[in-house]
């Protein structure tokens, strides 16, 4: 699937594989899925002058694109490919093996019964409710609005994994996973792959609109994996705050300037925490921000217009990047946000975070 995704991206960009000068990928999962040399051989990328890896998982997927843009800007290559793929949908253990392999989790968290990402985000949203004084019914209203919006948006995407409608009654009847999280609050498990080509604008074929990297940034919290979910400054995500602040400063923009937002939504609380930490609404105000179907396509604040990890598929944010590109190029079909010119993509709602702002540029004819 990774090779297929790379070939599809190159066809879309109208670039011969031999012209690709570099590959930058995420650091922890991708090398085990497909080695760069194997993908290069399978796809015909015979002219590589450099390869590199970024940071791990979702933050690394987006950081790889930022690094690719820096490589192009430095003149090292005119075309750099970044790809990602995962097979957690067909693994019985899903993502659990990845987390269990971390020493801090196996040695400290699991013996205490604090094991698994659902518990992390259940704890985070409990801390959020305590900090800002939300009642249990308000927490349910908040999380259900995020879940229902993701499902509504996913129903508009032709390749979404979960397209069954989700009503409030459906949400309320969804089984408990880790209170207050229900199954409807949890991401899918998927097999899939995605790839993008980052190019010098002067070296690509003419087309109506291009998605350009206007600014990006990566940040890391001071706490390590062993202590982040129990000792860090939750409910604020410091890395998301710092990366987003730097991205908006570099771009000369404010959060309210953004037309469409794509956020790593492994669990519904992750969307809530990022909306506030990245500056799209004030701390403790997410309930009002998401009300009245605001996050849906056509709403006041469209978020995860493809359905995100909750409805489209769990590609750890790679699909969020692809969706942002399609939105900026005005190729999103019935889920298109009208006149979208600026997109924000964020991933890694934990101790690491990368944020990107993509902008629409009209290419020469």
């Amino acid at each position: 699937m990774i090779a297929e995704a790379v070939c599809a991206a190159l066809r879309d960009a109208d670039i011969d594989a031999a012209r690709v000068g570099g590959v930058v990928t995420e650091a922890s999962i991708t090398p085990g899925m497909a080695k760069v040399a194997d993908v290069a051989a399978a796809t015909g990328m015979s002219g590589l002058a450099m390869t590199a890896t970024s940071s791990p998982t979702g933050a690394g997927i987006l950081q790889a694109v930022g690094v690719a843009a820096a490589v192009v800007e430095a003149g090292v290559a005119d075309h750099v490919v970044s790809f990602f793929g995962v097979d957690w949908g067909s693994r019985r253990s899903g993502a659990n093996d990845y987390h269990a392999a971390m020493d801090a989790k196996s040695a400290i968290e699991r013996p205490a019964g604090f094991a698994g990402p659902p518990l992390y985000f259940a704890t985070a949203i409990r801390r959020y409710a305590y900090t800002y004084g939300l009642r249990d019914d308000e927490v349910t209203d908040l999380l259900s609005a995020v879940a229902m919006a993701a499902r509504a948006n996913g129903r508009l995407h032709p390749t979404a994994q979960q397209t069954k409608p989700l009503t409030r009654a459906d949400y309320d009847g969804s089984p408990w996973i880790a209170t207050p999280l229900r199954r409807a609050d949890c991401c899918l498990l998927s097999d899939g792959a995605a790839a993008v080509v980052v190019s010098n604008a002067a070296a690509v074929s003419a087309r109506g609109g291009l998605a350009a990297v206007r600014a990006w940034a990566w940040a890391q919290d001071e706490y390590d994996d062993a202590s982040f979910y129990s000792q860090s400054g939750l409910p604020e995500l410091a890395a998301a705050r710092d990366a987003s602040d730097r991205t908006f400063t570099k771009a000369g923009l404010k959060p309210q300037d953004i037309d469409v937002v794509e956020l790593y939504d492994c669990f519904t609380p992750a969307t809530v925490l990022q909306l506030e930490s990245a500056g799209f609404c004030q701390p403790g105000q997410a309930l009002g921000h998401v009300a009245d179907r605001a996050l849906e396509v056509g709403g006041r604040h469209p978020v995860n217009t493809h359905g995100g990890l909750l409805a489209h598929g769990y590609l750890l944010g790679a699909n969020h990047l692809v969706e942002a590109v399609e939105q900026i190029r005005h190729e999103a079909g019935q889920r298109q946000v009208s006149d979208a010119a600026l997109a924000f993509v964020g991933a890694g709602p934990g101790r690491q975070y990368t944020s990107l702002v993509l902008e629409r540029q009209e290419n020469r004819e």
Side-chain angles (χ1 to χ4, degrees):
M1 284 191 292
I2 288 175
E4 292 174 359
V6 170
C7 289
L10 291 171
R11 285 195 303 271
D12 176 76
D14 193 24
I15 294 169
D16 186 270
R19 297 172 58 200
V20 175
V23 172
V24 185
T25 65
E26 177 271 344
S28 63
I29 298 172
T30 308
M33 292 288 105
K35 294 179 173 59
V36 170
D38 293 339
V39 175
T43 59
M45 292 189 292
S46 58
L48 297 182
M50 60 78 61
T51 66
T53 57
S54 60
S55 61
T57 60
I61 292 169
L62 296 189
Q63 188 190 50
V65 175
V67 172
V71 169
V72 170
E73 186 176 0
V76 176
D78 278 338
H79 308 289
V80 179
V81 164
S82 184
F83 59 77
F84 178 79
V86 71
D87 64 354
W88 289 353
S90 58
R91 289 191 191 186
R92 186 174 182 180
S93 61
N96 290 333
D97 286 347
Y98 180 82
H99 291 278
M102 299 180 186
D103 290 341
K105 296 179 185 295
S106 60
I108 299 172
E109 294 180 355
R110 190 172 296 276
F114 189 60
L119 281 173
Y120 305 154
F121 283 90
T123 300
I125 200 65
R126 285 295 196 195
R127 179 65 177 268
Y128 178 92
Y130 173 81
T131 301
Y132 298 118
L134 271 68
R135 304 185 306 270
D136 287 349
D137 63 300
E138 291 177 317
V139 172
T140 301
D141 289 344
L142 173 60
L143 300 185
S144 64
V146 174
M148 290 188 293
R151 193 73 65 86
N153 292 344
R155 284 172 53 79
L156 302 177
H157 198 293
T159 66
Q161 187 174 336
Q162 176 58 273
T163 59
K164 182 180 178 181
L166 182 70
T167 66
R168 177 57 187 267
D170 295 330
Y171 177 88
D172 290 341
S174 183
W176 293 110
I177 300 297
T179 310
L181 302 191
R182 299 178 178 272
R183 186 165 64 191
D185 293 300
C186 302
C187 66
L188 303 167
L189 290 175
S190 312
D191 290 354
V196 295
V197 184
V198 181
S199 297
N200 182 335
V204 297
S205 302
R207 66 185 304 160
L210 300 175
V213 178
R214 178 154 173 169
W216 71 281
W218 173 87
Q220 179 172 274
D221 196 281
E222 62 179 312
Y223 292 92
D224 61 14
D225 286 322
S227 55
F228 177 79
Y229 288 103
S230 59
Q231 304 297 320
S232 70
L234 291 169
E236 183 179 54
L237 298 170
R241 176 200 65 208
D242 293 346
S244 301
D245 285 351
R246 294 208 305 269
T247 297
F248 285 123
T249 298
K250 290 178 184 178
L253 298 169
K254 297 179 180 178
Q256 55 265 37
D257 296 321
I258 300 297
D259 300 307
V260 59
V261 176
E262 312 292 346
L263 299 174
Y264 191 108
D265 53 333
C266 48
F267 302 93
T268 51
T271 301
V272 173
L273 301 184
Q274 287 172 90
L275 284 171
E276 297 190 1
S277 296
F280 291 101
C281 62
Q282 293 299 308
Q285 300 302 308
L287 180 59
H289 188 83
V290 306
D292 302 320
R293 303 172 66 178
L295 305 188
E296 295 182 24
V297 173
R300 301 187 307 278
H301 312 293
V303 171
N304 293 343
T305 47
H306 57 318
L309 308 181
L310 295 169
H312 181 261
Y314 189 33
L315 299 189
L316 285 82
N319 47 341
H320 293 57
L321 174 65
V322 172
E323 176 67 11
V325 171
E326 292 185 351
Q327 287 285 344
I328 291 300
R329 289 180 2 185
H330 298 173
E331 296 173 352
Q334 61 181 330
R335 66 188 189 281
Q336 180 65 53
V337 174
S338 180
D339 298 324
L342 292 166
F344 178 95
V345 193
R351 63 182 299 262
Q352 296 186 57
Y353 200 83
T354 302
S355 56
L356 288 163
V357 169
L358 304 182
E359 68 176 345
R360 181 177 174 86
Q361 290 185 355
E362 299 298 332
N363 197 15
R364 66 199 183 286
E365 295 293 343

